[in-house]
């Protein structure tokens, strides 16, 4: 829904988008482009959380001589920026394939567009592997990283608004004297962090989606600035809020589950390490 609302035409609001997708493509339409992100999400999340944690420990060791010291706001911000920058290297091709697969049946009606397919709205890619192979063959490595600048501008502030609110909200709702991670506090703090992060990310997420969807049938945008200017000229400032509701509603449960899984897995591994260490 998020991709179609941001980069598609004629979907209107969220409810209309749901009904249109279901009417035209049945339930299968809601799962388009899912396989590639599903396969890669483990690696992607491991890199993001691992880089964030490792950077925090490095900064704590560098500044305070103890990697276990409670990180400062500055350290969390720097760690979030590093995680956001490195995540783009993995995330851009995955997001590109997902977006292309979801948008390849989108009707394209711009009369003066130079179309790559004689039948706009007909499937171009047979699946994620075929999609990635086609992109690499026609556009090269640079094509696989289309929209990477927009993703960088989305993810760097996005991860700052992800990890920092999580730590602050978790500390706020955790009972005093509670040393062991509390599952409910983790779940609630993770959900709030996800909603806040996606609210911050949505404007640049719109630009990213449009740049990556561009190229299935046409080449409408010359770059990130041109995409922003065309979007604003055609639809006004409200265009940068497209998909905000879907993003925030999706962000709460997905991030709540992500942080809960991360914290409890970390606790379990520390317990195993303690038991196996003589």
């Amino acid at each position: 829904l998020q991709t179609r609302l941001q980069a598609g035409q004629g979907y209107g609001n969220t409810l209309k988008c749901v009904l249109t997708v279901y009417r035209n493509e049945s339930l299968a339409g809601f799962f388009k482009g899912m396989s590639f992100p599903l396969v890669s999400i483990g690696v992607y999340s491991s890199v993001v959380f691992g880089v964030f944690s490792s950077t925090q420990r490095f900064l704590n060791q560098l500044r305070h001589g103890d990697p276990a010291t409670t990180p400062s706001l500055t350290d969390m911000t720097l760690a979030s920026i590093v995680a956001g920058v490195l995540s783009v290297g993995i995330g851009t091709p995955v997001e590109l394939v997902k977006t292309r697969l979801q948008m390849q049946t989108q009707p394209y009606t711009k009369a003066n567009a130079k179309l790559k397919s004689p039948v706009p709205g007909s499937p171009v890619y047979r699946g994620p592997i075929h999609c990635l192979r086609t992109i690499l063959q026609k556009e090269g490595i640079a094509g696989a990283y289309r929209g990477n600048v927009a993703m960088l501008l989305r993810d760097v502030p996005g991860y700052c608004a992800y990890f920092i609110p999580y730590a602050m909200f978790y500390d706020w709702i955790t009972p005093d004297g509670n040393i062991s991670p509390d599952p409910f506090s983790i779940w609630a703090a993770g959900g709030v962090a996800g909603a806040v992060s996606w609210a911050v990310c949505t404007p640049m997420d719109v630009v990213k989606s449009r740049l990556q969807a561009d190229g299935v049938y046409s080449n409408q945008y010359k770059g990130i600035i041109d995409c922003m200017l065309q979007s604003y000229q055609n639809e006004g400032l409200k265009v940068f809020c497209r998909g905000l509701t879907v993003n925030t509603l999706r962000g709460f449960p997905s991030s709540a589950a992500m942080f809960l899984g991360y914290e409890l897995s970390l606790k379990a591994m520390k317990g195993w390490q303690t038991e196996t260490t003589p």
Side-chain angles (χ1 to χ4, degrees), residues 109-191:
T109 58
K110 199 171 182 63
N112 60 350
K114 183 179 180 181
L115 299 175
K116 294 183 177 181
S117 168
V119 188
S122 61
V124 176
Y125 311 113
R126 295 191 294 270
I129 302 301
H130 178 252
C131 178
L132 183 59
R133 187 169 63 243
T134 302
I135 292 170
L136 289 172
Q137 288 173 348
K138 294 184 176 181
E139 304 173 50
I141 295 295
Y145 281 87
R146 185 179 181 87
N148 61 337
V149 176
M151 270 198 73
L152 190 67
L153 295 176
R154 182 195 74 172
D155 286 357
V156 169
Y159 278 118
C160 289
Y162 188 60
F163 289 111
I164 295 174
Y166 168 74
M168 295 175 68
F169 192 73
Y170 177 79
D171 289 341
W172 181 60
I173 63 175
T174 299
D176 292 336
N178 191 354
I179 300 176
S180 178
D182 175 60
F184 174 76
S185 298
I186 296 169
W187 180 86

Side-chain angles (χ1 to χ4, degrees), residues 2 22 28 45 54 62 83 97 101 124 133 160 168 200 203 205 210 216 227 253 273:
Q2 164 247 345
Y22 179 75
S45 299
S54 298
L62 188 65
V97 170
L101 289 173
V124 176
R133 187 169 63 243
C160 289
M168 295 175 68
V200 171
D205 192 43
R210 293 189 168 206
V216 179
C227 179
Q273 186 178 20

Side-chain angles (χ1 to χ4, degrees), residues 255-270:
S255 296
M258 185 76 71
F259 273 105
L260 185 61
Y262 170 75
E263 293 284 8
L264 295 184
S265 298
L266 198 61
K267 179 184 176 183
M269 286 186 285
K270 286 180 179 179

Side-chain angles (χ1 to χ4, degrees), residues 53-254:
S53 299
S54 298
T55 304
Q56 272 195 335
R57 288 194 297 270
F58 171 77
L59 292 173
N60 285 339
Q61 179 67 43
L62 188 65
R63 293 173 183 268
H64 312 291
D66 182 7
T69 303
T70 301
S72 65
L73 180 60
T74 301
D75 290 346
M76 284 194 290
T77 302
L78 289 174
S80 300
I81 291 172
V82 173
V85 170
L86 293 183
S87 71
V88 173
I90 299 175
T92 302
V94 175
E95 288 275 321
L96 177 65
V97 170
K98 174 182 73 76
T99 300
R100 291 284 179 92
L101 289 173
Q102 290 174 344
M103 295 301 296
Q104 64 174 334
T105 53
Q106 162 69 30
Y108 203 90
T109 58
K110 199 171 182 63
N112 60 350
K114 183 179 180 181
L115 299 175
K116 294 183 177 181
S117 168
V119 188
S122 61
V124 176
Y125 311 113
R126 295 191 294 270
I129 302 301
H130 178 252
C131 178
L132 183 59
R133 187 169 63 243
T134 302
I135 292 170
L136 289 172
Q137 288 173 348
K138 294 184 176 181
E139 304 173 50
I141 295 295
Y145 281 87
R146 185 179 181 87
N148 61 337
V149 176
M151 270 198 73
L152 190 67
L153 295 176
R154 182 195 74 172
D155 286 357
V156 169
Y159 278 118
C160 289
Y162 188 60
F163 289 111
I164 295 174
Y166 168 74
M168 295 175 68
F169 192 73
Y170 177 79
D171 289 341
W172 181 60
I173 63 175
T174 299
D176 292 336
N178 191 354
I179 300 176
S180 178
D182 175 60
F184 174 76
S185 298
I186 296 169
W187 180 86
V192 169
V196 170
S197 176
W198 274 111
V200 171
C201 285
T202 294
M204 195 51 63
D205 192 43
V206 172
V207 178
K208 188 276 304 178
S209 294
R210 293 189 168 206
L211 284 171
Q212 292 187 329
D214 192 40
V216 179
Y217 299 112
S218 66
N219 284 310
Q220 182 179 353
Y221 306 116
K222 298 175 182 178
I224 184 172
I225 301 299
D226 183 53
C227 179
M228 294 172 69
L229 289 175
Q230 284 196 48
S231 298
Y232 173 72
Q233 290 168 357
N234 294 334
E235 302 171 64
L237 279 176
K238 65 180 181 180
V239 69
F240 299 108
C241 294
R242 277 195 174 193
L244 177 62
T245 302
V246 172
N247 277 343
T248 51
L249 289 178
R250 176 191 67 172
F252 189 100
S254 62

